[in-house]
Amino acid sequence: MKKYFLLAIFLPVLSLAFTVPEKPTGFVQDYANILTKDQVSQLENKLSQYEKSTTNEIAVVTIPSLDNDAIENVAQEIFTKWQIGKQDKNNGVLLLISLAERKTRIHTGYGVEGDLTDIGTSYIQSEVITPAFKQGDYFGGINSGLDKMIEALGGTEIIPEDYSTNNLLEKIPWEFVLFLVFVVLQWIGAILS
């Protein structure tokens, strides 16, 4: 009986998780419908030519929502299920965009991590893609982000000297920091009393 009770509690939660579709053809999958057919075609041509000249595979996937899942989980599931990149080189890259949550994720295979580093993907997302998205320019953000990824994968240093992940901390609103301090102090007070 206990087993069925737990199943009844967790089944609705599990059913909300994002379901990865079967592997499609092509490099651009716009499930969120944020691009025109012409824009998809332009990106597809760019990524197809890039794959032919380097064997590196970059996939772009837009989805309407994460369905209460973490973007890191969804990116890993898509990356693994679709086998992005050549198996012997592990040279795939996934740019995942979730519209409802306004989140992006650049997920890389081990074979390209030396060129497209964590700080590089952070820079591309925060300084290239996000500003364009805030203006409603999804194509511009994706296209510019892909250009920066291609530059980095070609060995070009894309990160400005003054950029660091600390730049991201500077963008956190002071009200949020104050709220966190308040919550921590309340928590400490509850423990001590």
Side-chain angles (χ1 to χ4, degrees):
M1 185 69 175
K2 185 177 178 183
K3 181 169 48 173
Y4 295 114
F5 176 73
L6 291 173
L7 188 61
I9 290 174
F10 290 111
L11 192 58
V13 174
L14 294 174
S15 66
L16 291 175
F18 180 81
T19 304
V20 177
E22 291 302 314
K23 182 177 182 175
T25 57
F27 297 96
V28 181
Q29 307 307 318
D30 183 25
Y31 299 119
N33 295 313
I34 59 175
L35 302 169
T36 66
K37 287 183 180 180
D38 183 54
Q39 290 170 341
V40 169
S41 180
Q42 287 180 56
L43 296 174
E44 191 71 49
N45 288 336
K46 175 187 286 200
L47 296 177
S48 176
Q49 290 301 317
Y50 178 67
E51 187 271 336
K52 285 176 186 170
S53 65
T54 66
T55 75
N56 292 337
E57 293 180 11
I58 303 176
V60 176
V61 179
T62 73
I63 58 176
S65 170
L66 294 168
D67 295 332
N68 295 321
D69 205 341
I71 194 163
E72 296 82 4
N73 294 342
V74 174
Q76 181 64 53
E77 287 180 48
I78 292 172
F79 194 86
T80 303
K81 186 171 182 179
W82 291 2
Q83 298 177 338
I84 299 169
K86 306 292 185 262
Q87 278 190 329
D88 59 331
K89 297 182 178 180
N90 208 348
N91 60 346
V93 179
L94 168 65
L95 170 57
L96 177 63
I97 298 141
S98 180
L99 191 60
E101 293 84 2
R102 298 181 180 188
K103 289 187 175 182
T104 62
R105 167 91 176 155
I106 299 174
H107 192 86
T108 59
Y110 294 119
V112 295
E113 285 181 349
D115 291 319
L116 194 52
T117 61
D118 288 344
I119 194 168
T121 60
S122 173
Y123 169 75
I124 292 168
Q125 290 175 98
S126 67
E127 305 301 317
V128 179
I129 296 173
T130 299
F133 281 15
K134 285 183 177 176
Q135 300 295 319
D137 184 7
Y138 293 111
F139 173 75
I142 293 168
N143 194 43
S144 298
L146 291 174
D147 287 343
K148 286 292 180 189
M149 285 183 228
I150 289 169
E151 283 180 46
L153 291 168
T156 302
E157 180 56 60
I158 61 165
I159 305 164
E161 286 183 24
D162 62 341
Y163 178 81
S164 74
T165 51
N166 293 335
N167 292 2
L168 300 176
L169 296 176
E170 293 169 8
K171 295 180 182 180
I172 297 174
W174 65 269
E175 295 94 344
F176 181 71
V177 175
L178 190 61
F179 173 75
L180 283 179
V181 169
F182 176 76
V183 168
V184 169
L185 290 175
Q186 290 294 320
W187 180 70
I188 291 170
I191 290 174
L192 296 176
S193 61

